[in-house]
Amino acid sequence: MMSPKSLHYAFLLLPQFSNLCLANAMEPLRAANHFAGTRLYDWSLVSLDGAAVTTSSGMSIATDSTLSDLAAADILFVVAGYDYRRQTSRVLKSELRRFARSGCVLAGLDTGSYLLAAAGLLNGQRATIHWQELEAFTEEFLEVDVVPDRYVMEKKRITAGGATTTLDLMLRIIARDYGEAQALDVAGVLIYDQHLTAADPQTGLALRGAGRLTSKLVTTIALMQETIEAPLPLGELSRKAGASQRELQRLFRNQLQTTPHRYYLHLRLSVARGLLLETTKDLSEIAARSGFSSAATLSHAYVRHFGQAPAMTRRLKSLPTSRGYG
């Protein structure tokens, strides 16, 4: 029997990307080759200038060539993490459009979706991005049909929300390319339980994957994540979660070693920190986006939580942020 044609997948690495995201994209391809006993996949790592790229955890990843020297690929994955807005250069957008014109499938992993959208390559398409960026992404790109799915596969465009959703995506790509049996072999060797579908939301259900959290606690956290701008009182949270206030207090104390109020505040302040680092919005708007009544109220809570003023955080834009992309 003839060996199947090898597919070439290229990965464009942008500074401060998640190395976990990249590993979850590449390791399934390696495993597929192993089980097939032949090279089903070839891959290459590229950057805009051909130099090594530093990940969000400080690792330096060598690349094979510049993006402009990459002749062709069956899929070009744009792998981005922090500071993605400042990486949206004219040169990058031009290169991505060149690949689109050639018929190459373009994929955005984590915040790589933003780069594709900024180049106008997601207009009229369904797409997703890391869940912490969904609202801002939706507001900025009105021509894109933004959904909270774990990943989205269109004919020529693919987007995924983060590291674990990338693993889900790659298993689905392998199944599409070479069949379900091949994907099951890869999932098995990676000891990965494929219990979530593409259309499952990135939050809530993902929390259940932790296993140790009770369903009522997971429901409450998901509600908190969904109501950052208009925080719910504890009584309303407990009613929607099907628990008493005392039970919720006990669940947070026993399983998360904190209180519902402190955890809610932590989520809201994390959103505020992300907006400070990734946008130019003024403090009053950031306060509104994170559920605070005024800029002064936000500032007071922010200093107590992070030990620095919001203005200081904004001056640290060149450093990785505290948000957990991946």
PDB file of all heavy atoms in Angstrom, residues 35 174-175 178-187:
ATOM      1  N   PHE A  35       2.915   6.336  15.453  1.00  0.00           N
ATOM      2  CA  PHE A  35       1.966   5.235  15.298  1.00  0.00           C
ATOM      3  C   PHE A  35       1.837   4.787  13.850  1.00  0.00           C
ATOM      4  O   PHE A  35       1.635   3.601  13.577  1.00  0.00           O
ATOM      5  CB  PHE A  35       0.593   5.635  15.845  1.00  0.00           C
ATOM      6  CG  PHE A  35       0.484   5.496  17.325  1.00  0.00           C
ATOM      7  CD1 PHE A  35       0.450   6.609  18.141  1.00  0.00           C
ATOM      8  CD2 PHE A  35       0.440   4.252  17.928  1.00  0.00           C
ATOM      9  CE1 PHE A  35       0.358   6.494  19.515  1.00  0.00           C
ATOM     10  CE2 PHE A  35       0.355   4.112  19.302  1.00  0.00           C
ATOM     11  CZ  PHE A  35       0.314   5.235  20.098  1.00  0.00           C
ATOM     12  N   ILE A 174      -6.122  15.619  13.182  1.00  0.00           N
ATOM     13  CA  ILE A 174      -5.563  14.314  12.840  1.00  0.00           C
ATOM     14  C   ILE A 174      -6.667  13.360  12.386  1.00  0.00           C
ATOM     15  O   ILE A 174      -6.505  12.613  11.408  1.00  0.00           O
ATOM     16  CB  ILE A 174      -4.785  13.735  14.041  1.00  0.00           C
ATOM     17  CG1 ILE A 174      -3.510  14.558  14.280  1.00  0.00           C
ATOM     18  CG2 ILE A 174      -4.444  12.262  13.818  1.00  0.00           C
ATOM     19  CD1 ILE A 174      -2.822  14.244  15.597  1.00  0.00           C
ATOM     20  N   ALA A 175      -7.807  13.392  13.083  1.00  0.00           N
ATOM     21  CA  ALA A 175      -8.940  12.551  12.685  1.00  0.00           C
ATOM     22  C   ALA A 175      -9.425  12.928  11.289  1.00  0.00           C
ATOM     23  O   ALA A 175      -9.752  12.055  10.472  1.00  0.00           O
ATOM     24  CB  ALA A 175     -10.073  12.681  13.698  1.00  0.00           C
ATOM     25  N   TYR A 178      -6.413  11.762   8.748  1.00  0.00           N
ATOM     26  CA  TYR A 178      -6.039  10.348   8.604  1.00  0.00           C
ATOM     27  C   TYR A 178      -6.986   9.371   9.299  1.00  0.00           C
ATOM     28  O   TYR A 178      -6.679   8.181   9.355  1.00  0.00           O
ATOM     29  CB  TYR A 178      -4.621  10.136   9.127  1.00  0.00           C
ATOM     30  CG  TYR A 178      -3.589  10.903   8.334  1.00  0.00           C
ATOM     31  CD1 TYR A 178      -2.934  12.002   8.894  1.00  0.00           C
ATOM     32  CD2 TYR A 178      -3.267  10.539   7.030  1.00  0.00           C
ATOM     33  CE1 TYR A 178      -1.987  12.711   8.167  1.00  0.00           C
ATOM     34  CE2 TYR A 178      -2.323  11.246   6.292  1.00  0.00           C
ATOM     35  CZ  TYR A 178      -1.688  12.330   6.870  1.00  0.00           C
ATOM     36  OH  TYR A 178      -0.748  13.029   6.147  1.00  0.00           O
ATOM     37  N   GLY A 179      -8.096   9.856   9.845  1.00  0.00           N
ATOM     38  CA  GLY A 179      -9.092   8.956  10.404  1.00  0.00           C
ATOM     39  C   GLY A 179      -9.145   8.956  11.927  1.00  0.00           C
ATOM     40  O   GLY A 179      -8.182   9.303  12.610  1.00  0.00           O
ATOM     41  N   GLU A 180     -10.311   8.564  12.447  1.00  0.00           N
ATOM     42  CA  GLU A 180     -10.552   8.561  13.887  1.00  0.00           C
ATOM     43  C   GLU A 180      -9.624   7.614  14.639  1.00  0.00           C
ATOM     44  O   GLU A 180      -9.203   7.906  15.762  1.00  0.00           O
ATOM     45  CB  GLU A 180     -12.008   8.185  14.177  1.00  0.00           C
ATOM     46  CG  GLU A 180     -13.037   9.213  13.733  1.00  0.00           C
ATOM     47  CD  GLU A 180     -13.057  10.438  14.632  1.00  0.00           C
ATOM     48  OE1 GLU A 180     -12.404  10.413  15.699  1.00  0.00           O
ATOM     49  OE2 GLU A 180     -13.727  11.415  14.266  1.00  0.00           O
ATOM     50  N   ALA A 181      -9.296   6.478  14.030  1.00  0.00           N
ATOM     51  CA  ALA A 181      -8.448   5.514  14.719  1.00  0.00           C
ATOM     52  C   ALA A 181      -7.076   6.111  15.019  1.00  0.00           C
ATOM     53  O   ALA A 181      -6.510   5.896  16.100  1.00  0.00           O
ATOM     54  CB  ALA A 181      -8.302   4.248  13.879  1.00  0.00           C
ATOM     55  N   GLN A 182      -6.556   6.879  14.066  1.00  0.00           N
ATOM     56  CA  GLN A 182      -5.257   7.512  14.275  1.00  0.00           C
ATOM     57  C   GLN A 182      -5.330   8.509  15.437  1.00  0.00           C
ATOM     58  O   GLN A 182      -4.432   8.577  16.279  1.00  0.00           O
ATOM     59  CB  GLN A 182      -4.823   8.229  12.996  1.00  0.00           C
ATOM     60  CG  GLN A 182      -3.389   8.712  12.986  1.00  0.00           C
ATOM     61  CD  GLN A 182      -2.404   7.557  12.871  1.00  0.00           C
ATOM     62  OE1 GLN A 182      -2.630   6.610  12.132  1.00  0.00           O
ATOM     63  NE2 GLN A 182      -1.302   7.629  13.612  1.00  0.00           N
ATOM     64  N   ALA A 183      -6.412   9.296  15.476  1.00  0.00           N
ATOM     65  CA  ALA A 183      -6.576  10.273  16.547  1.00  0.00           C
ATOM     66  C   ALA A 183      -6.727   9.588  17.906  1.00  0.00           C
ATOM     67  O   ALA A 183      -6.199  10.067  18.923  1.00  0.00           O
ATOM     68  CB  ALA A 183      -7.784  11.159  16.266  1.00  0.00           C
ATOM     69  N   LEU A 184      -7.426   8.451  17.948  1.00  0.00           N
ATOM     70  CA  LEU A 184      -7.592   7.724  19.200  1.00  0.00           C
ATOM     71  C   LEU A 184      -6.261   7.177  19.704  1.00  0.00           C
ATOM     72  O   LEU A 184      -5.981   7.188  20.909  1.00  0.00           O
ATOM     73  CB  LEU A 184      -8.593   6.584  19.019  1.00  0.00           C
ATOM     74  CG  LEU A 184     -10.067   6.991  18.949  1.00  0.00           C
ATOM     75  CD1 LEU A 184     -10.925   5.789  18.585  1.00  0.00           C
ATOM     76  CD2 LEU A 184     -10.524   7.604  20.267  1.00  0.00           C
ATOM     77  N   ASP A 185      -5.422   6.708  18.786  1.00  0.00           N
ATOM     78  CA  ASP A 185      -4.089   6.239  19.178  1.00  0.00           C
ATOM     79  C   ASP A 185      -3.290   7.367  19.826  1.00  0.00           C
ATOM     80  O   ASP A 185      -2.624   7.179  20.850  1.00  0.00           O
ATOM     81  CB  ASP A 185      -3.327   5.714  17.957  1.00  0.00           C
ATOM     82  CG  ASP A 185      -3.805   4.343  17.510  1.00  0.00           C
ATOM     83  OD1 ASP A 185      -4.453   3.653  18.318  1.00  0.00           O
ATOM     84  OD2 ASP A 185      -3.541   3.972  16.343  1.00  0.00           O
ATOM     85  N   VAL A 186      -3.339   8.542  19.219  1.00  0.00           N
ATOM     86  CA  VAL A 186      -2.589   9.686  19.733  1.00  0.00           C
ATOM     87  C   VAL A 186      -3.135  10.100  21.099  1.00  0.00           C
ATOM     88  O   VAL A 186      -2.362  10.343  22.040  1.00  0.00           O
ATOM     89  CB  VAL A 186      -2.643  10.860  18.745  1.00  0.00           C
ATOM     90  CG1 VAL A 186      -2.021  12.119  19.358  1.00  0.00           C
ATOM     91  CG2 VAL A 186      -1.922  10.499  17.450  1.00  0.00           C
ATOM     92  N   ALA A 187      -4.460  10.185  21.226  1.00  0.00           N
ATOM     93  CA  ALA A 187      -5.059  10.556  22.509  1.00  0.00           C
ATOM     94  C   ALA A 187      -4.675   9.548  23.589  1.00  0.00           C
ATOM     95  O   ALA A 187      -4.413   9.917  24.738  1.00  0.00           O
ATOM     96  CB  ALA A 187      -6.576  10.642  22.373  1.00  0.00           C
TER      97      ALA A 187
END
